[in-house]
Amino acid sequence: MAMHYRVPEWPEIRAKGESLVAEHPDDHFMTTVLEGAFLVGESENPIRGNLCAAAMRELTGHVLHSMAPDSRVTACRWYELVKDTKGPTRMQRVTYIVQGALPNDFVEKVLKLDLSKIARPLLKTIERLNRSTHVREETILDDDEEIRVLVDDALDGLLDIYDAARTCREEVHRSLRTEVFDTVLDKLLSETLQELDELSTHTSVEGHEIDEYTITFVDDEFIELAVAGTVYVELQYGSRSDIRNDMGAVLSDSYPYTASMKARVIEPQRILGDSVVVAVDNSAFYE
């Protein structure tokens, strides 16, 4: 059974405005325009709806252009100039805000995000804002409920874009976990790390686990990954012959490690081998 839509009151709409401002606490223009939209929307001005729509249109345009400037959008490999346009479309700006320079195939097939579905409500609301900004005898907007719905839809559309951007980054984090694990393991097995080698006659890596890792989109070219985990090792003292003759020993131990690595944004699941650095903290061994 579909839920009945209830038109939100102004205090509820203002709360959403505060959530939007929280995304950009230093953006004075956003705060000013949003407050202006609220003041005129709640006033008794006979054309308050049209003035409020004009303010909200400028606000959405400001967000799209500041978060997705022309130079960044047009530099993405997925960008194509749409016929009869001179630069990025609103849809392309929304795409950049959500996925940055990540390739479309990766976003759609691996992350399972539908950008057209995410962007549709905001883009439709912008069209409504455009129509409402023109003050004509037949377009005067003075119905309080209609005004509240229009402002609420605009704020919801913008907040949904920010939520989608966070979801995208969370999904990138999830999707790369296996690659990160395998990359660290390969480094531990293929290279002799001094911090482990010095602990015994022969140190062998038994495995590792990731405790946490973070992803930073450095720019539109590289992703940086920082990893913290635990490596499990076998420490052999003496030769194999010594072990057979009970003159040596084999112990198991574990140590924390950190690792860093990079991937290209256009191929996020292919970690650059020469960027991988692993450091093991063996200080506990000497305590």
Side-chain angles (χ1 to χ4, degrees):
M1 182 177 177
M3 294 182 63
H4 177 68
Y5 173 73
R6 181 183 66 82
V7 178
E9 300 296 331
W10 280 111
E12 297 172 88
I13 298 173
R14 278 184 171 272
K16 292 182 181 180
E18 291 173 2
S19 296
L20 180 62
V21 169
E23 299 284 353
H24 300 279
D26 298 324
D27 191 332
H28 180 67
F29 180 79
M30 174 186 287
T31 304
T32 301
V33 174
L34 192 56
E35 181 60 22
F38 289 147
L39 288 176
V40 72
E42 295 178 87
S43 73
E44 296 299 320
N45 190 312
I47 58 170
R48 60 188 179 280
N50 306 88
L51 297 175
C52 187
M56 293 305 297
R57 183 183 67 173
E58 293 307 312
L59 177 67
T60 55
H62 171 68
V63 170
L64 293 181
H65 282 79
S66 61
M67 292 293 291
D70 289 10
S71 59
R72 291 290 188 87
V73 179
T74 57
C76 295
R77 290 200 177 188
W78 50 256
Y79 173 76
E80 291 183 359
L81 183 65
V82 176
K83 185 179 179 181
D84 297 327
T85 65
K86 296 181 179 180
T89 63
R90 295 188 190 110
M91 180 63 205
Q92 289 170 331
R93 293 188 195 279
V94 170
T95 299
Y96 180 82
I97 293 172
V98 175
Q99 73 182 59
L102 288 170
N104 288 333
D105 281 352
F106 176 74
V107 173
E108 295 168 5
K109 297 177 182 179
V110 178
L111 305 186
K112 307 296 184 183
L113 295 180
D114 185 346
L115 266 295
S116 61
K117 183 178 180 180
I118 292 169
R120 192 176 301 121
L122 176 62
L123 300 183
K124 285 186 175 181
T125 300
I126 292 175
E127 291 301 322
R128 287 160 55 203
L129 291 172
N130 286 338
R131 291 194 298 270
S132 299
T133 57
H134 302 291
V135 183
R136 302 285 188 274
E137 184 176 357
E138 67 278 5
T139 62
I140 290 177
L141 180 58
D142 61 355
D143 182 86
D144 185 62
E145 283 200 357
E146 288 185 29
I147 297 170
R148 281 184 280 141
V149 168
L150 188 58
V151 176
D152 187 61
D153 285 350
L155 291 173
D156 277 345
L158 289 171
L159 291 171
D160 284 347
I161 299 304
Y162 284 98
D163 286 342
R166 278 186 284 272
T167 297
C168 182
R169 281 151 181 75
E170 290 168 0
E171 288 301 305
V172 170
H173 186 280
R174 179 194 58 77
S175 70
L176 294 185
R177 189 176 183 88
T178 299
E179 282 72 19
V180 171
F181 181 91
D182 291 345
T183 298
V184 172
L185 182 60
D186 182 65
K187 190 75 170 181
L188 290 169
L189 293 175
S190 63
E191 292 191 11
T192 300
L193 298 181
Q194 178 63 30
E195 306 99 305
L196 295 178
D197 191 52
E198 67 187 38
L199 301 180
S200 67
T201 307
H202 177 71
T203 302
S204 57
V205 173
E206 298 293 293
H208 82 101
E209 63 182 11
I210 295 174
D211 298 325
E212 63 177 337
Y213 86 96
T214 58
I215 293 178
T216 302
F217 285 76
V218 180
D219 49 34
D220 290 334
E221 185 175 0
F222 290 105
I223 298 171
E224 284 189 354
L225 304 99
V227 187
T230 303
V231 58
Y232 298 94
V233 297
E234 182 180 86
L235 305 176
Q236 177 180 312
Y237 298 95
S239 65
R240 292 182 180 179
S241 176
D242 291 334
I243 300 298
R244 288 195 298 270
N245 295 318
D246 292 329
M247 297 174 63
V250 176
L251 304 174
S252 294
D253 210 343
S254 63
Y255 301 94
Y257 74 81
T258 57
S260 62
M261 60 199 75
K262 286 184 178 182
R264 294 188 184 280
V265 173
I266 59 172
E267 294 182 300
Q269 291 181 298
R270 180 177 295 180
I271 293 172
L272 301 174
D274 59 0
S275 73
V276 182
V277 177
V278 177
V280 177
D281 179 3
N282 64 9
S283 58
F285 179 84
Y286 298 101
E287 292 177 353

